[in-house]
Amino acid sequence: MKRLYFLTLFLSALILCESVSAENVDTAKQYWVVAKDTEGKVLYREKHTTRYVNGRILTSLTNYIDPEGREIAMMKSNYERSVPMPTYVFKDYRRDYEEGLRFRDGKYHIFSRDPKRGEREKPLGDTKDVYSCQGWHYYVVNHLEELEKDQAFTLKLIFPNKLRSYPFRIEKVGSSEETMDVKVRFANRVTSWLVPHLGLVYNKKDRKLIEFQVVSNIYDANDDLKDVWITYYDNQE
């Protein structure tokens, strides 16, 4: 499962991102996420806190909390420069691991750090159609109508521990009156056969992500990654 870590990290702090219809207002919102394994056991919870200014998202913070109430990881994102390309840092406290995207000297820099290799960093050259962290999700919710018409998108998503981006295909695989099922997979067919796709369910009216199935980005006690169902709630469960 470890080889899938770079694939799933970009979903690690996926947030509910409906627009806030307020003017000249600094607004904070909070959501909770529950991650369960295939047998329904709670593996961890996520507390998402987002800040909006004049209806535009400015920052987001995700705290990962284990069943005993301990914080085991966190992700902090900043959208001031760009919503599609937020700068961010993800920290896994148990593994002493860190990664993210920085902006310095007029360029974006991908970085990752672990105890064995130390910190690695690489400037991001081409930024056309490139999305980081939760940025791609904002694109999807703003183009649900195109997906409903069976139009598919190919976006480049950043994976810091590989110090590069990969093209992904995003397409509708099912739809009802209220919801839409979306699949995210590697654009390369051969690679997509080898790596599990990501399945997401959106509320079409509210443009909210309801739940998704993914390989967790949080390692368990056996130093492995599990298949999990991620479900969103307005309040703590």
Side-chain angles (χ1 to χ4, degrees):
M1 286 291 191
K2 291 182 182 179
R3 65 187 176 86
L4 299 176
Y5 186 63
F6 76 96
L7 166 66
T8 60
L9 185 58
F10 75 94
L11 275 173
S12 61
L14 199 59
I15 60 173
L16 300 181
C17 58
E18 76 278 12
S19 61
V20 178
S21 57
E23 295 182 1
N24 302 315
V25 175
D26 190 326
T27 306
K29 287 199 165 191
Q30 190 174 99
Y31 309 96
W32 284 86
V33 168
V34 176
K36 298 180 181 180
D37 64 16
T38 54
E39 298 178 351
K41 179 183 177 182
V42 174
L43 300 177
Y44 58 87
R45 290 179 170 82
E46 304 172 14
K47 182 174 73 172
H48 295 262
T49 305
T50 58
R51 180 186 169 205
Y52 297 83
V53 175
N54 298 336
R56 182 184 185 276
I57 188 168
L58 191 68
T59 61
S60 65
L61 173 66
T62 303
N63 304 100
Y64 298 79
I65 302 167
D66 70 11
E68 286 72 43
R70 296 175 298 226
E71 184 174 2
I72 56 177
M74 80 88 182
M75 177 180 280
K76 183 183 293 186
S77 305
N78 188 297
Y79 305 83
E80 289 184 85
R81 177 171 294 277
S82 171
V83 173
M85 286 266 289
T87 55
Y88 74 97
V89 59
F90 169 80
K91 295 182 179 182
D92 185 331
Y93 300 129
R94 295 182 300 181
R95 300 177 58 81
D96 191 24
Y97 177 80
E98 177 177 335
E99 69 173 42
L101 183 70
R102 300 167 175 149
F103 189 83
R104 186 180 69 246
D105 301 327
K107 291 183 178 180
Y108 286 99
H109 296 260
I110 311 170
F111 73 92
S112 68
R113 181 194 60 78
D114 62 61
K116 287 186 178 181
R117 295 180 292 183
E119 180 169 308
R120 300 178 301 143
E121 182 182 277
K122 183 178 180 180
L124 180 64
D126 181 19
T127 60
K128 181 177 174 56
D129 296 326
V130 176
Y131 293 75
S132 68
C133 197
Q134 306 101 318
W136 69 274
H137 178 51
Y138 285 82
Y139 182 90
V140 171
V141 296
N142 287 324
H143 293 81
L144 289 179
E145 290 79 9
E146 288 91 332
L147 285 172
E148 184 70 22
K149 297 175 183 177
D150 295 322
Q151 295 182 25
F153 312 119
T154 299
L155 307 177
K156 300 173 187 175
L157 310 180
I158 289 175
F159 294 93
N161 83 328
K162 295 296 180 179
L163 298 181
R164 58 164 294 181
S165 65
Y166 290 86
F168 272 74
R169 181 178 173 86
I170 301 172
E171 59 191 356
K172 182 189 77 174
V173 292
S175 183
S176 68
E177 184 176 346
E178 296 181 352
T179 64
M180 180 187 301
D181 297 333
V182 175
K183 180 168 71 175
V184 181
R185 63 171 177 82
F186 274 102
N188 182 289
R189 282 285 184 181
V190 176
T191 306
S192 69
W193 291 336
L194 301 174
V195 180
H197 70 267
L198 311 176
L200 305 98
V201 181
Y202 285 93
N203 180 303
K204 293 192 290 188
K205 179 181 178 181
D206 297 331
R207 296 181 180 272
K208 288 183 179 180
L209 179 63
I210 303 171
E211 63 181 12
F212 63 90
Q213 185 177 22
V214 68
V215 177
S216 173
N217 62 301
I218 301 295
Y219 284 86
D220 65 13
N222 297 319
D223 202 27
D224 202 357
L225 298 174
K226 288 183 174 291
D227 291 321
V228 296
W229 276 104
I230 305 289
T231 307
Y232 288 84
Y233 301 93
D234 289 333
N235 299 297
Q236 185 175 6
E237 283 285 297

